Amino acid sequence: MDKILVHGGSRLKGQVMVSGSKNSALPILAATLLTKEECVIHNVPDLSDCHYMLQILNHLGAQVERASGTVTIKAEKIVTEAPYDIVRKMRASVCIIGPLLGREKEATVSLPGGCVIGERPIDLHLKGFEALGAAVRIDAGNVKVLAPNLRGTTINLRGKFGPTVLGTDNILMASVLAEGTTVIDGAAAEPEVVDLANFLIAMGAKIEGAGTRRIIVEGVKELHGAEHEVIPDRIEAGTYLVAGAIAGDEVTLRNVVPEHLHSVTEALIKSGFRIVTGTDQLTIFGNGKAGPLKIVTEPYPGFPTDMQAQMCALLTKGQGISILTETIFPQRFMHVPELKRMGANIEMEGPSAVVQGVERLSGAPVMASDLRASAALVLAGLHSEGTTEIHRVYHIDRGYESIDDKLNALGANIERVKEKSGA
Ligand code: UD1
């Protein structure tokens, strides 16, 4: 297992190329199961989560070839069962249920467990499948979904924490081959849902309203192969923007859709940073300390929960008192105890972290607990004195393509070393 050592205090300057979006790529790769024909997907990030998804597709019978960022998939003949061993490594593997159900009218997939950011149920996905006419059964840790006839209907997917992103993806993928019209109310409007819809449309699906709270799908008989380029990863981009705010003299992100980052750039500007927006690039000037912010995570276009931990890392050494409130995953604050070990002054009040900016942070051994919390620890290390030693970095490799190399290319001083056994 690797650990990452961040030697704090370097200044960052230069350009960083943003990779393809993990949260777009995963459902898009799953959607290739909807056709027997070949699909070619470009800009697939080289991440462990994407490798897991390709392994799952391979297990289901698809032929998968990968050359750099391009993946070619042909799922001519597939099976409909994905056991625990295959899906347990990644919660997002749940999004194979929709395409299996759409194409083969059945799926048996091991249920995802909870994870450190909360319980993460899939009740809304199952409610959607049932509304489309599927029988859903939980048996021996598996969810079995069976629907000899999938029929379009109106489904409200809104849950108590707002819309569900993968739930919307799943119902969308099941409904494109259903009979008649499906209306998904309370749909997630994230750019990743739009990207999936665009890929499905390229495959011959009839979808309107992706990117709004109401998506309308007119079922078609079959889908064909298609070629698609995954959108840039707005969360990876947001993470490098925060790195630029923390330690950047001038950092330019290339290959971004600035509109997708609006709530993040707005918050950073409010905090006192200068950002220059180009057509597909953003430049941040990181001189000075972050001003205090009140951030509330919300579904898109609101401030993303996936950026909350990174902003927390910035604000720990900011001015005054900042408050970060989670409305989507109220327990998503595993970074807080680790940041406190580095000298941060943070108090939890229910689903809010109250951050009193401190003058100095000091590097310490810390534990990565989930993807975005790990990114926050790397960022905190950039403005800490001494060395921050981050263990369990496999979390970070799930969602960031070579974060150490990309930050080092900007001038950071980060090492990746093998843990000694027993460490
Ligand atoms: C996706 C993203 C993740 C992001 C999250 C919220 C992927 C691979 N992951 O996760 O990075 O943090 O959106 O933007 O795209 N919920 C239910 N019942 C359900 C489904 C969800 O109650 O059936 C709840 C969840 O517990 C959570 C909220 O709804 O409180 C939103 O979750 P959801 O949008 O489904 O997250 P994911 O799609 O799993």
Side-chain angles (χ1 to χ4, degrees), residues 2 30 38 91 107 125 137 148 178 202 217 221 239 252 255 271 319 321 331 343 352 355 372 395 403 422:
D2 292 348
E38 184 175 283
R91 221 200 137 269
H125 303 226
R137 199 153 61 90
V217 182
K221 285 257 172 293
T239 303
T252 297
N255 185 36
S271 186
Q319 299 159 349
I321 295 177
Q331 302 169 39
S352 300
V355 182
R372 307 304 169 187
H395 287 292
I403 191 170

Side-chain angles (χ1 to χ4, degrees), residues 134-147:
V136 175
R137 199 153 61 90
I138 310 283
D139 185 31
N142 295 319
V143 53
K144 293 184 182 226
V145 188
L146 186 70

